[in-house]
């Protein structure tokens, strides 16, 4: 059994590869292969000039690759407990995230902390940022994330002994800053958006500059809980002072919070391309919006009333006939 134990450990070390160090306890029962993999996504990538709040979703895309049985000696309770704890090797714990600014975008808030981020889950991070007057277009920011992962764990006498290892990831996120004097603007937005619905959103795009833009198209930049259906909307040529309308179909998650969200509208013309920030409000569904439910309920009530009326009429009719039959001649 000891020879098999040694062979299993050697095979495990060879399977890990030369890039990662393998840590384990001498009396390990199980060893898991896998570790956290953090991914950062900007929820509101289009920023207005000045100071605002940047929301970043930090997700853990780590996956358990393999769970290997090394040693079966010991109590069944300890073996089972260690197996369950080894499944946490892809979770990130004690997370500290620091956003690094660029030359024209300054981060005004400190580090953000998360107690844990299990594999397959995500959590929001909020940073205050300020762009100077020279900021315009796409900017790259670095999200420096330090965390701990469970490199190994041992179970003995119903006690858990985890071994943590410090890790660090530098994630690059991109934001778009609308520079001052941007000639293309959104002059109006119409359409009501509700959780769990698919609805239309209409944007009015105006050329507030002194030059014309030709062959323009627009698309809606969304992030969960919003999903844009379709691709580009044609705006045509935009002469100075002219307005063009773009229609978009938007799907909203059923569990989306009722609040304001910041999206973006990307406009591409022959002469230039830009991204315009857009704030949309998510409203609760009202009774009037549920017309289908009201119609169905009304039909059911009418059907029930009709059924009752027919029953009453038939009963009165049969009682009348019975009385006429019993009337003496």
């Amino acid at each position: 059994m000891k020879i098999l134990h040694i062979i299993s450990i050697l095979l495990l070390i060879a399977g890990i590869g030369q890039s990662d160090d393998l840590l384990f306890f001498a009396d390990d029962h199980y060893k898991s292969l896998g570790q956290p993999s953090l991914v950062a996504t900007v929820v509101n990538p289009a920023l207005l000039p000045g100071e605002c709040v940047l929301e970043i979703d930090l997700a853990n895309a780590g996956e358990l690759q393999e769970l290997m049985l090394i040693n079966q000696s010991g109590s069944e309770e300890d073996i089972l407990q260690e197996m369950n704890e080894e499944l946490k090797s892809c979770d990130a714990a004690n997370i500290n995230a620091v956003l690094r600014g660029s030359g024209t975008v300054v981060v005004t808030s400190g580090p953000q902390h998360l107690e844990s981020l299990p594999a397959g889950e995500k959590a929001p991070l909020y940073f205050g940022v300020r762009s100077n007057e020279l900021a315009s277009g796409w900017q790259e920011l670095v999200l420096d994330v330090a965390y701990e992962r469970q490199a190994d764990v041992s179970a003995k006498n119903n006690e858990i002994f985890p071994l943590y290892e410090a890790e660090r990831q530098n994630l690059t996120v991109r934001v778009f800053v609308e520079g001052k004097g941007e000639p293309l603007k959104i002059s109006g937005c119409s359409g009501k958006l509700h959780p769990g619905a698919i609805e239309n959103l209409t944007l009015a795009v105006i050329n507030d500059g002194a030059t014309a833009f030709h062959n323009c198209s627009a698309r809606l930049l969304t992030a969960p809980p919003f999903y844009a259906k379709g691709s580009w909307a044609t705006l045509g040529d935009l002469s100075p002072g002219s307005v063009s309308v773009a229609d978009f179909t938007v799907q909203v998650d059923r569990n989306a919070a009722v609040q304001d969200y910041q999206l973006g509208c990307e406009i591409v013309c022959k002469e230039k391309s830009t991204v315009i920030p857009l704030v949309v409000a998510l409203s609760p569904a009202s009774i009037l919006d549920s017309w289908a439910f009201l119609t169905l309920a009304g039909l059911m009530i009418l059907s029930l009333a009709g059924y009752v009326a027919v029953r009453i009429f038939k009963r009165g009719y049969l009682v009348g006939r019975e009385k006429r039959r019993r009337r003496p001649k």
Side-chain angles (χ1 to χ4, degrees), residues 50-167:
E51 190 158 358
C52 56
V53 176
L54 182 67
E55 181 179 352
I56 299 176
D57 274 347
L58 186 65
N60 185 355
E63 293 183 358
L64 183 65
Q65 301 173 7
E66 190 173 355
L67 181 63
M68 301 181 64
L69 177 61
I70 297 177
N71 181 16
Q72 289 182 291
S73 62
S75 67
E76 294 184 2
E77 292 79 6
D78 290 343
I79 295 175
L80 180 60
Q81 195 170 23
E82 183 177 325
M83 181 188 70
N84 292 330
E85 292 297 321
E86 283 284 357
L87 298 178
K88 300 178 182 179
S89 63
C90 295
D91 297 348
N94 193 23
I95 303 168
N96 290 295
V98 179
L99 186 64
R100 311 291 184 186
S102 64
T104 55
V105 178
V106 179
V107 180
T108 60
S109 60
Q112 300 291 301
H113 178 76
L114 296 173
E115 289 293 335
S116 64
L117 187 62
E121 296 188 10
K122 66 178 181 179
L125 302 173
Y126 300 96
F127 296 94
V129 296
R130 183 180 65 250
S131 56
N132 61 31
E133 296 181 355
L134 300 178
S136 179
W138 288 103
Q139 310 287 327
E140 288 191 350
L141 308 178
V142 175
L143 184 66
D144 186 0
V145 185
Y147 61 94
E148 296 177 349
R149 72 177 183 92
Q150 182 178 274
D152 196 20
V153 63
S154 178
K156 190 173 183 180
N157 298 327
N158 291 326
E159 289 190 55
I160 299 298
F161 302 95
L163 177 62
Y164 288 99
E165 189 176 53
E167 296 285 349

